[in-house]
Amino acid sequence: MKLNLKIWRQENAKATGKLVDYQVDHIEPDMSFLEMLDILNDQLIEKGSDTVAFDHDCREGICGMCSLFINGEAHGPDRLVTTCQLHMRKFKDGDTIYIEPFRAKAFPVIKDLVVDRSSFDRVQQAGGFISVNTSGNTIDANTIPIEKHDADRAFDAATCIGCGACVATCKNSSAMLFVSAKVSQFALLPQGKVEATDRVLNMVAQMDAEGFGNCTNTGACEVECPKGISLENIARMNREYLSASLK
C-alpha cells in the first residue's frame, strides 16, 4: 500500500505544532501501525530529517505507551486493541491517515506524538495502595475467601493499562473511567477495605487538581477503551465517594 500521512509535529511543549504531510510506500497489510511509523522514520533518517517522536514499549497491548489519535479515534479504527495491535489491513491503498497525540489539558505534549501522562501516576499515588505487610511475613492470598463474582469484577477493573484513551475520547477530557477502575480494583476486595475511605477521596481530589474534566455519561470512554473497562466502575466509584463523604 501507498499511504498519505498527516502527522502532528511539535518541537516541544512550548512550540506551536502543525500537521505535516508524509508519504510511505510498500506497506504490507500485516504490518502493525507502529511498524509503519518505523518505516517512515527510517526514510526520514536516510534523508537527514528529524524523525517523528512517538511513545512505545511492549508492543503487545499491555503497557499503554503507544497511545495515538488516529483518524479521530483513540488507538484507531479497531476495537479492544491498542495502537501497537492495530494492523494496516484496517486501511486501504491510497488512504490519508491523520495521526495526532492525545489531546487533553492534563496530557501536555512533550514532542510530536508524545504526551506527558504523569498526571495518571500522581492520581494513583494519591490512593492506589493497600496496607499489606511486605517485610517477608506476607499472608497467602488464598487464605482470604473472596466471592468469585467480586474477584472477577476486580480483575476486570485491574486490566486498565492507563493508556489515557478514555481521556482523549471524552469531550470533557474526563479521567473518570481510569480513576474508577483503579478505585474498583481495590474496593471489590477485602484487602482494599482498610484505605477505602481515604483512597476514593484522595484519588478524586487529585484527579480534579490535575485538570481533568467532569463525566457527563456519554459513554464514549467505554467504547474506545482498549481493555473494555465498563462504565459500571464509574457508578461504583460514585457510590464509594458518596459513602466516604458522609463518614
Side-chain angles (χ1 to χ4, degrees), residues 77-97:
D78 210 349
R79 289 292 174 267
L80 299 177
V81 299
T82 52
T83 299
C84 63
Q85 295 173 304
L86 177 67
H87 288 86
M88 298 311 296
R89 53 180 169 267
K90 287 290 179 179
F91 305 93
K92 302 187 297 295
D93 182 41
D95 275 358
T96 296
I97 305 175

Side-chain angles (χ1 to χ4, degrees), residues 193-207:
K193 300 300 182 184
V194 179
E195 286 89 12
T197 299
D198 291 339
R199 177 181 300 112
V200 68
L201 292 176
N202 291 341
M203 292 182 80
V204 170
Q206 187 63 41
M207 174 183 69

